[in-house]
Coordinates of all heavy atoms in Angstrom, one line a residue:
A1 N 96.5 95.2 106.9 CA 96.0 95.1 108.3 C 96.5 96.4 109.1 O 95.7 96.9 109.9 CB 96.6 93.9 109.0
V2 N 97.7 96.8 108.8 CA 98.1 98.0 109.5 C 97.2 99.2 109.3 O 96.8 99.8 110.3 CB 99.6 98.4 109.1 CG1 100.0 99.7 109.6 CG2 100.6 97.3 109.5
E3 N 96.9 99.4 108.1 CA 96.0 100.5 107.7 C 94.6 100.4 108.3 O 94.0 101.3 108.9 CB 95.9 100.7 106.2 CG 97.2 101.1 105.6 CD 97.1 101.1 104.0 OE1 96.0 100.8 103.5 OE2 98.1 101.4 103.4
L4 N 94.0 99.2 108.2 CA 92.7 99.0 108.8 C 92.6 99.1 110.3 O 91.8 99.7 110.9 CB 92.1 97.7 108.3 CG 91.7 97.6 106.8 CD1 91.2 96.2 106.4 CD2 90.6 98.6 106.5
F5 N 93.6 98.4 110.9 CA 93.6 98.4 112.4 C 93.9 99.9 112.9 O 93.3 100.3 113.9 CB 94.7 97.5 113.0 CG 94.4 96.0 112.9 CD1 95.4 95.1 112.7 CD2 93.1 95.6 113.1 CE1 95.1 93.7 112.6 CE2 92.8 94.2 113.0 CZ 93.8 93.3 112.8
A6 N 94.7 100.6 112.2 CA 95.0 102.0 112.6 C 93.8 102.9 112.4 O 93.6 103.7 113.2 CB 96.2 102.5 111.9
A7 N 93.1 102.7 111.3 CA 92.0 103.6 111.0 C 90.7 103.2 111.8 O 90.0 104.1 112.3 CB 91.7 103.5 109.5
K8 N 90.4 101.9 111.9 CA 89.1 101.5 112.5 C 89.3 100.8 113.8 O 88.3 100.7 114.5 CB 88.5 100.5 111.5 CG 88.1 101.1 110.1 CD 87.6 100.1 109.2 CE 86.2 99.8 109.5 NZ 85.5 98.9 108.5
G9 N 90.5 100.5 114.2 CA 90.6 99.8 115.5 C 90.5 98.3 115.3 O 89.9 97.8 114.3
Y10 N 91.0 97.5 116.2 CA 90.9 96.1 116.2 C 89.5 95.5 116.2 O 89.1 94.7 115.3 CB 91.7 95.5 117.4 CG 91.6 94.0 117.5 CD1 92.4 93.2 116.7 CD2 90.8 93.4 118.4 CE1 92.4 91.8 116.7 CE2 90.7 92.0 118.5 CZ 91.5 91.2 117.7 OH 91.5 89.8 117.7
R11 N 88.7 96.0 117.1 CA 87.3 95.5 117.2 C 86.4 95.8 116.0 O 85.5 95.0 115.7 CB 86.7 96.0 118.5 CG 87.2 95.4 119.7 CD 86.5 95.9 120.9 NE 87.1 95.2 122.1 CZ 86.9 95.7 123.3 NH1 86.2 96.7 123.6 NH2 87.5 95.1 124.3
S12 N 86.7 96.9 115.4 CA 85.8 97.3 114.3 C 86.3 96.8 112.9 O 85.7 97.2 111.9 CB 85.7 98.9 114.2 OG 85.1 99.3 115.4
T13 N 87.4 96.1 112.9 CA 87.9 95.6 111.7 C 87.7 94.1 111.6 O 88.1 93.3 112.5 CB 89.5 95.8 111.6 OG1 89.7 97.2 111.7 CG2 90.0 95.3 110.3
G14 N 86.9 93.7 110.6 CA 86.6 92.2 110.4 C 87.6 91.5 109.6 O 88.3 92.1 108.8
V15 N 87.6 90.2 109.8 CA 88.6 89.3 109.0 C 88.2 89.4 107.5 O 89.1 89.5 106.7 CB 88.5 87.9 109.5 CG1 89.3 86.9 108.6 CG2 89.0 87.8 111.0
A16 N 87.0 89.5 107.2 CA 86.6 89.6 105.8 C 87.1 90.8 105.1 O 87.7 90.8 104.0 CB 85.1 89.5 105.6
A17 N 87.1 92.0 105.8 CA 87.6 93.2 105.3 C 89.1 93.1 105.2 O 89.7 93.6 104.2 CB 87.2 94.4 106.2
L18 N 89.8 92.5 106.2 CA 91.2 92.4 106.1 C 91.6 91.5 104.9 O 92.5 91.9 104.1 CB 91.8 91.7 107.4 CG 91.7 92.6 108.6 CD1 91.8 91.7 109.9 CD2 92.7 93.7 108.6
A19 N 90.9 90.4 104.7 CA 91.2 89.5 103.6 C 91.0 90.2 102.3 O 91.8 90.1 101.3 CB 90.4 88.2 103.8
E20 N 89.9 90.9 102.2 CA 89.5 91.5 100.9 C 90.6 92.6 100.5 O 90.9 92.7 99.4 CB 88.2 92.2 101.1 CG 87.7 92.9 99.8 CD 86.3 93.6 100.0 OE1 85.5 93.1 100.7 OE2 86.2 94.7 99.4
R21 N 91.1 93.3 101.5 CA 92.1 94.3 101.2 C 93.3 93.7 100.5 O 93.9 94.4 99.7 CB 92.5 95.0 102.6 CG 93.6 96.0 102.5 CD 93.2 97.3 101.7 NE 92.2 98.1 102.3 CZ 92.4 99.1 103.1 NH1 93.6 99.6 103.3 NH2 91.4 99.8 103.6
V22 N 93.7 92.5 100.9 CA 94.9 91.9 100.2 C 94.6 90.9 99.2 O 95.4 90.2 98.7 CB 95.8 91.3 101.3 CG1 96.4 92.4 102.2 CG2 95.1 90.2 102.1
G23 N 93.3 90.8 98.8 CA 92.9 89.9 97.7 C 92.8 88.4 98.1 O 93.1 87.5 97.3
M24 N 92.5 88.2 99.4 CA 92.4 86.8 99.9 C 91.0 86.5 100.4 O 90.2 87.4 100.5 CB 93.4 86.5 101.0 CG 94.8 86.7 100.7 SD 95.9 86.3 102.2 CE 95.6 84.6 102.3
T25 N 90.7 85.2 100.6 CA 89.5 84.9 101.3 C 89.8 84.9 102.8 O 90.9 84.8 103.3 CB 89.0 83.5 100.9 OG1 90.0 82.5 101.4 CG2 88.8 83.4 99.4
A26 N 88.7 85.1 103.6 CA 88.9 85.0 105.1 C 89.5 83.7 105.5 O 90.4 83.7 106.3 CB 87.5 85.3 105.7
P27 N 89.0 82.5 105.0 CA 89.6 81.3 105.4 C 91.1 81.2 105.1 O 91.9 80.7 105.8 CB 88.8 80.2 104.7 CG 87.5 80.8 104.5 CD 87.8 82.3 104.2
G28 N 91.4 81.8 103.9 CA 92.8 81.8 103.5 C 93.7 82.6 104.4 O 94.8 82.2 104.8
M29 N 93.2 83.7 104.9 CA 93.9 84.6 105.8 C 94.1 83.8 107.1 O 95.2 83.9 107.7 CB 93.3 85.9 106.0 CG 94.0 86.8 107.0 SD 93.7 88.5 106.9 CE 94.3 88.9 105.3
L30 N 93.0 83.2 107.6 CA 93.1 82.5 108.9 C 94.0 81.3 108.8 O 94.6 80.9 109.8 CB 91.7 82.1 109.3 CG 90.7 83.3 109.7 CD1 89.3 82.7 110.0 CD2 91.3 84.1 110.8
Y31 N 94.2 80.7 107.6 CA 95.1 79.6 107.5 C 96.5 80.1 107.8 O 97.3 79.4 108.5 CB 95.1 79.1 106.0 CG 96.2 78.1 105.7 CD1 96.0 76.8 106.1 CD2 97.3 78.5 105.1 CE1 97.0 75.8 105.9 CE2 98.3 77.6 104.8 CZ 98.2 76.2 105.2 OH 99.1 75.3 105.0
Y32 N 96.9 81.3 107.4 CA 98.3 81.8 107.6 C 98.5 82.4 109.0 O 99.6 82.3 109.6 CB 98.6 82.9 106.6 CG 98.9 82.3 105.2 CD1 97.9 82.4 104.2 CD2 100.0 81.6 104.9 CE1 98.1 81.8 103.0 CE2 100.2 81.0 103.7 CZ 99.3 81.1 102.7 OH 99.5 80.6 101.5
F33 N 97.5 83.0 109.6 CA 97.6 83.7 110.9 C 96.9 83.0 112.0 O 97.1 83.4 113.2 CB 97.2 85.1 110.7 CG 98.0 85.9 109.8 CD1 97.5 86.2 108.5 CD2 99.3 86.4 110.2 CE1 98.3 86.9 107.6 CE2 100.0 87.1 109.3 CZ 99.6 87.3 108.0
G34 N 96.0 82.0 111.7 CA 95.4 81.3 112.8 C 94.1 82.0 113.3 O 93.1 81.3 113.6
S35 N 94.2 83.3 113.5 CA 93.1 84.1 114.0 C 93.3 85.5 113.8 O 94.4 85.9 113.3 CB 92.9 83.8 115.5 OG 94.1 84.4 116.2
K36 N 92.3 86.3 114.0 CA 92.4 87.8 113.9 C 93.5 88.3 114.9 O 94.3 89.1 114.6 CB 91.1 88.5 114.1 CG 91.1 89.9 113.8 CD 89.7 90.5 113.8 CE 89.5 91.5 114.9 NZ 88.2 92.1 114.9
E37 N 93.5 87.7 116.1 CA 94.5 88.1 117.1 C 95.9 87.7 116.6 O 96.8 88.5 116.8 CB 94.2 87.4 118.4 CG 95.1 87.8 119.5 CD 94.8 87.1 120.8 OE1 93.7 86.7 121.1 OE2 95.8 87.0 121.6
G38 N 96.0 86.6 115.9 CA 97.3 86.2 115.4 C 97.8 87.2 114.4 O 99.0 87.6 114.3
L39 N 96.9 87.7 113.5 CA 97.3 88.7 112.6 C 97.6 90.0 113.3 O 98.6 90.7 112.9 CB 96.1 89.0 111.6 CG 96.3 90.1 110.6 CD1 97.5 89.8 109.7 CD2 95.0 90.3 109.7
L40 N 96.9 90.4 114.3 CA 97.2 91.6 115.1 C 98.6 91.5 115.7 O 99.4 92.4 115.6 CB 96.2 91.9 116.2 CG 96.5 93.0 117.1 CD1 96.5 94.4 116.3 CD2 95.5 93.1 118.2
R41 N 99.0 90.3 116.2 CA 100.3 90.1 116.8 C 101.4 90.3 115.8 O 102.4 90.9 116.0 CB 100.4 88.7 117.4 CG 99.6 88.6 118.7 CD 99.7 87.2 119.2 NE 98.6 87.0 120.2 CZ 98.9 86.4 121.4 NH1 100.1 86.0 121.7 NH2 97.9 86.3 122.2
E42 N 101.2 89.7 114.6 CA 102.2 89.9 113.5 C 102.3 91.3 113.0 O 103.3 91.8 112.7 CB 101.8 89.0 112.3 CG 102.1 87.5 112.6 CD 103.6 87.3 113.0 OE1 104.5 87.8 112.3 OE2 103.8 86.5 113.9
T43 N 101.1 92.0 113.0 CA 101.1 93.4 112.6 C 101.9 94.3 113.6 O 102.7 95.1 113.2 CB 99.7 93.9 112.5 OG1 99.0 93.1 111.6 CG2 99.6 95.4 112.1
V44 N 101.7 94.0 114.9 CA 102.4 94.8 115.9 C 103.9 94.4 115.9 O 104.8 95.3 116.0 CB 101.8 94.5 117.3 CG1 102.7 95.1 118.4 CG2 100.4 95.1 117.4
A45 N 104.2 93.2 115.6 CA 105.6 92.7 115.5 C 106.3 93.5 114.3 O 107.5 93.9 114.4 CB 105.7 91.2 115.3
E46 N 105.6 93.6 113.2 CA 106.1 94.4 112.1 C 106.3 95.8 112.4 O 107.3 96.4 112.1 CB 105.1 94.3 110.9 CG 105.5 95.1 109.7 CD 106.9 94.7 109.1 OE1 107.3 93.5 109.3 OE2 107.6 95.6 108.5
R47 N 105.4 96.4 113.2 CA 105.6 97.8 113.7 C 106.9 97.9 114.5 O 107.7 98.8 114.3 CB 104.4 98.3 114.5 CG 104.5 99.7 115.0 CD 103.9 100.0 116.3 NE 104.2 99.1 117.3 CZ 103.5 98.9 118.4 NH1 102.4 99.6 118.6 NH2 103.8 98.1 119.3
D48 N 107.1 96.9 115.4 CA 108.3 96.9 116.2 C 109.5 96.8 115.4 O 110.5 97.4 115.7 CB 108.2 95.8 117.2 CG 107.1 96.0 118.3 OD1 106.6 97.2 118.4 OD2 106.7 95.1 119.0
R49 N 109.5 95.9 114.3 CA 110.7 95.8 113.5 C 111.0 97.1 112.7 O 112.1 97.5 112.6 CB 110.4 94.6 112.5 CG 110.6 93.3 113.1 CD 110.6 92.2 112.0 NE 109.3 92.0 111.4 CZ 108.3 91.2 111.8 NH1 108.5 90.6 112.9 NH2 107.2 91.1 111.2
A50 N 109.9 97.8 112.3 CA 110.1 99.1 111.6 C 110.7 100.1 112.5 O 111.4 101.0 112.1 CB 108.8 99.5 111.0
S51 N 110.4 100.0 113.8 CA 110.9 101.0 114.8 C 112.3 100.6 115.3 O 112.9 101.4 116.0 CB 109.9 101.2 115.9 OG 108.7 101.6 115.4
A52 N 112.7 99.4 115.1 CA 114.0 98.9 115.7 C 115.2 99.8 115.4 O 116.0 99.9 116.3 CB 114.2 97.5 115.2
P53 N 115.4 100.4 114.2 CA 116.6 101.2 114.0 C 116.7 102.3 115.1 O 117.8 102.8 115.3 CB 116.4 101.8 112.6 CG 115.5 100.9 112.0 CD 114.6 100.4 113.0
H54 N 115.7 102.7 115.7 CA 115.7 103.8 116.7 C 115.6 103.4 118.1 O 115.6 104.2 119.0 CB 114.6 104.9 116.4 CG 114.7 105.4 115.0 ND1 115.8 106.2 114.6 CD2 114.0 105.2 113.9 CE1 115.6 106.5 113.3 NE2 114.5 105.9 112.9
A55 N 115.5 102.1 118.3 CA 115.2 101.6 119.7 C 116.3 101.9 120.7 O 116.0 102.2 121.8 CB 114.9 100.1 119.6
G56 N 117.6 101.8 120.2 CA 118.7 102.0 121.2 C 119.3 103.4 121.1 O 120.4 103.6 121.7
D57 N 118.7 104.3 120.5 CA 119.3 105.6 120.3 C 119.5 106.3 121.7 O 118.7 106.2 122.6 CB 118.4 106.6 119.5 CG 118.4 106.2 118.0 OD1 119.3 105.4 117.6 OD2 117.6 106.8 117.3
V58 N 120.6 107.0 121.8 CA 120.8 107.9 122.9 C 119.9 109.1 122.7 O 119.8 109.6 121.6 CB 122.3 108.3 123.0 CG1 122.5 109.3 124.1 CG2 123.2 107.1 123.2
R59 N 119.3 109.6 123.7 CA 118.3 110.6 123.6 C 119.0 112.0 123.5 O 119.0 112.8 124.4 CB 117.3 110.6 124.7 CG 116.5 109.3 124.8 CD 115.6 109.2 123.6 NE 114.9 107.9 123.7 CZ 114.7 107.1 122.7 NH1 115.2 107.4 121.6 NH2 114.0 106.0 122.9
T60 N 119.6 112.3 122.3 CA 120.1 113.6 122.1 C 119.1 114.3 121.2 O 118.2 113.7 120.6 CB 121.5 113.5 121.3 OG1 121.2 112.9 120.0 CG2 122.5 112.7 122.1
L61 N 119.3 115.6 121.1 CA 118.4 116.4 120.2 C 118.4 115.9 118.8 O 117.3 115.7 118.2 CB 118.8 117.9 120.2 CG 117.9 118.8 119.5 CD1 116.5 118.7 120.0 CD2 118.4 120.3 119.6
S62 N 119.6 115.5 118.3 CA 119.7 115.0 116.9 C 118.9 113.6 116.8 O 118.2 113.4 115.8 CB 121.1 114.7 116.6 OG 121.2 114.2 115.3
S63 N 119.1 112.7 117.8 CA 118.4 111.5 117.7 C 116.9 111.6 117.8 O 116.1 110.9 117.2 CB 118.9 110.5 118.7 OG 118.6 110.9 120.0
L64 N 116.4 112.6 118.6 CA 115.0 112.8 118.8 C 114.4 113.4 117.5 O 113.3 113.0 117.1 CB 114.7 113.8 119.9 CG 115.0 113.2 121.3 CD1 114.8 114.3 122.4 CD2 114.1 112.0 121.6
R65 N 115.2 114.2 116.8 CA 114.7 114.7 115.4 C 114.6 113.5 114.5 O 113.6 113.4 113.7 CB 115.7 115.7 114.9 CG 115.4 117.1 115.3 CD 116.2 118.1 114.5 NE 116.7 119.0 115.5 CZ 118.0 119.3 115.7 NH1 118.9 118.8 115.0 NH2 118.4 120.2 116.6
D66 N 115.6 112.6 114.5 CA 115.5 111.4 113.6 C 114.3 110.5 114.0 O 113.7 110.0 113.1 CB 116.8 110.6 113.8 CG 118.0 111.3 113.2 OD1 117.8 112.2 112.4 OD2 119.1 110.9 113.5
I67 N 114.0 110.4 115.3 CA 112.9 109.6 115.7 C 111.6 110.2 115.2 O 110.7 109.6 114.7 CB 112.9 109.3 117.2 CG1 114.1 108.4 117.6 CG2 111.6 108.7 117.7 CD1 114.3 108.3 119.1
G68 N 111.5 111.6 115.4 CA 110.3 112.3 114.9 C 110.2 112.1 113.4 O 109.0 111.9 112.9
K69 N 111.2 112.2 112.6 CA 111.2 112.1 111.2 C 110.7 110.6 110.8 O 109.8 110.5 110.0 CB 112.5 112.3 110.6 CG 112.5 112.2 109.1 CD 113.9 112.5 108.5 CE 113.9 112.2 107.0 NZ 115.3 112.3 106.5
H70 N 111.2 109.7 111.5 CA 110.8 108.3 111.3 C 109.3 108.1 111.6 O 108.6 107.4 110.9 CB 111.7 107.3 112.2 CG 111.2 105.9 112.1 ND1 111.5 105.1 111.0 CD2 110.5 105.2 113.0 CE1 111.0 103.9 111.3 NE2 110.4 103.9 112.5
N71 N 108.9 108.7 112.7 CA 107.5 108.6 113.1 C 106.5 109.2 112.0 O 105.5 108.7 111.8 CB 107.2 109.2 114.5 CG 107.8 108.3 115.6 OD1 108.2 107.2 115.4 ND2 107.8 108.9 116.8
V72 N 107.0 110.3 111.5 CA 106.2 110.9 110.4 C 106.1 110.1 109.2 O 105.1 109.9 108.5 CB 106.7 112.3 110.1 CG1 106.1 112.9 108.8 CG2 106.5 113.3 111.2
E73 N 107.3 109.5 108.8 CA 107.4 108.6 107.6 C 106.6 107.3 107.8 O 106.1 106.7 106.8 CB 108.8 108.3 107.3 CG 109.6 109.5 106.9 CD 111.1 109.2 106.8 OE1 111.6 108.2 107.2 OE2 111.8 110.1 106.3
T74 N 106.4 106.9 109.0 CA 105.7 105.6 109.3 C 104.4 105.9 110.2 O 104.1 105.2 111.1 CB 106.6 104.6 110.0 OG1 107.0 105.2 111.2 CG2 107.7 104.2 109.1
A75 N 103.7 107.0 109.8 CA 102.6 107.5 110.6 C 101.5 106.4 110.9 O 101.0 106.3 112.0 CB 102.0 108.7 110.0
T76 N 101.3 105.6 109.9 CA 100.2 104.5 110.1 C 100.7 103.5 111.1 O 99.9 103.1 112.0 CB 99.9 103.8 108.7 OG1 99.5 104.8 107.8 CG2 98.8 102.8 108.9
L77 N 101.9 103.1 111.1 CA 102.5 102.2 112.1 C 102.4 102.8 113.5 O 102.1 102.2 114.5 CB 103.9 101.7 111.7 CG 104.0 100.8 110.6 CD1 105.5 100.6 110.3 CD2 103.3 99.5 110.8
V78 N 102.8 104.1 113.6 CA 102.8 104.8 114.8 C 101.3 104.9 115.4 O 101.1 104.6 116.6 CB 103.4 106.2 114.7 CG1 103.2 107.0 116.0 CG2 104.8 106.1 114.4
R79 N 100.4 105.2 114.5 CA 99.0 105.2 115.0 C 98.5 103.9 115.5 O 97.7 103.8 116.4 CB 98.1 105.7 113.8 CG 96.8 106.3 114.2 CD 96.1 106.9 113.1 NE 96.3 106.3 111.8 CZ 96.6 106.9 110.6 NH1 96.8 108.2 110.6 NH2 96.8 106.2 109.5
L80 N 99.0 102.8 114.9 CA 98.7 101.5 115.4 C 99.1 101.3 116.8 O 98.4 100.7 117.6 CB 99.3 100.4 114.5 CG 99.1 99.0 114.8 CD1 97.7 98.6 114.7 CD2 100.0 98.1 114.0

């Protein structure tokens, strides 16, 4: 979901494409997430969890470098 939403956007990404990417059926995916919006919410929550280690950093030059490195390493999540 992260990759598809980041590449194509929410509106241009269908539930069938999301399900196919992970080897599920669309009804199976909807069973777990309730809706495409529910999947988007969980996807954004995952992005937030991945960014959490840097959330409380004091903005020093060193911490900004670390945040930049983290953003490069998680570029797909950042794009989302």
